Amino acid sequence: HLAAQSPESLRVMTYNLTYFRSFTSFCTSTNNPPGAKEGWLQTVVAHAEPDVLVCNEVDGGSATAHGRILSQCLNTNGVTRWAATDLYTNGSSLINAVYYDQTKLGLKAQGIISNDVQNNPLVRGIDVLRFYYKDSLLSWNPDTVFFTLFAGHFKAGNTPADVADRQKTA
């Protein structure tokens, strides 16, 4: 007996949160208010309805920012479908934070690329995430689709050093 299934599509969204909960002399809680940003992100995600959300420029100094995106922006107003990947950093103060719809996807493995092909440290790490699709027939037939997502956000700026950092290959 063959069962036909309708095709499934996944929506992947990236969002640069620009120093989310990371403060500097030029990026303060006044000109980059975290509470307001959380509300804005909640609105944008509710409208876009992604299945995977990659956030760039999240504070890498603690797990607070990573957790607040999950609890204050995604799993709110009765929504519980979101899960977070582990927090990975290569020492950068700004990291990627990745979230996914756990009703559609499972996380098989994750890691980080911290060095370029010459083994020099990258300014910011590249997250490597291996997902699988949670097919409704998975318990009956464990054959499913796996895919790998690379989440990277390269050094900005227009100085020669910034350009050189962006040109490094992982």
Side-chain angles (χ1 to χ4, degrees):
H1 174 316
L2 293 175
Q5 286 192 270
S6 59
E8 182 68 45
S9 63
L10 296 173
R11 182 175 293 194
V12 178
M13 177 179 161
T14 62
Y15 205 117
N16 182 341
L17 296 180
T18 312
Y19 282 82
F20 182 75
R21 293 195 165 268
S22 180
F23 305 108
T24 67
S25 61
F26 59 86
C27 190
T28 66
S29 62
T30 301
N31 66 14
N32 191 18
K37 280 181 121 169
E38 288 170 358
W40 299 330
L41 181 60
Q42 180 184 22
T43 299
V44 169
V45 169
H47 176 76
E49 298 181 340
D51 300 303
V52 178
L53 173 65
V54 177
C55 296
N56 306 118
E57 291 199 21
V58 174
D59 178 31
S62 76
T64 300
H66 187 62
R68 285 192 64 88
I69 292 170
L70 184 65
S71 66
Q72 303 301 309
C73 307
L74 302 175
N75 283 335
T76 61
N77 299 323
V79 173
T80 59
R81 69 185 179 103
W82 290 99
T85 62
D86 290 337
L87 183 68
Y88 276 52
T89 181
N90 69 332
S92 174
S93 62
L94 296 174
I95 62 164
N96 302 307
V98 183
Y99 308 89
Y100 62 97
D101 181 339
Q102 63 187 334
T103 65
K104 287 186 177 181
L105 300 172
L107 182 64
K108 178 72 174 165
Q110 77 175 94
I112 188 169
I113 298 171
S114 295
N115 295 336
D116 66 17
V117 292
Q118 287 81 32
N119 207 30
N120 298 309
L122 294 170
V123 174
R124 296 185 183 140
I126 301 170
D127 291 85
V128 181
L129 304 130
R130 184 91 170 133
F131 290 103
Y132 63 92
Y133 175 62
K134 289 185 174 179
D135 190 298
S136 61
L137 302 175
L138 202 54
S139 62
W140 175 73
N141 179 9
D143 183 21
T144 190
V145 174
F146 286 83
F147 65 96
T148 302
L149 182 133
F150 293 85
H153 180 64
F154 300 107
K155 179 74 175 90
N158 58 7
T159 67
D162 293 335
V163 172
D165 282 339
R166 281 193 299 277
Q167 290 174 344
K168 291 179 181 178
T169 46

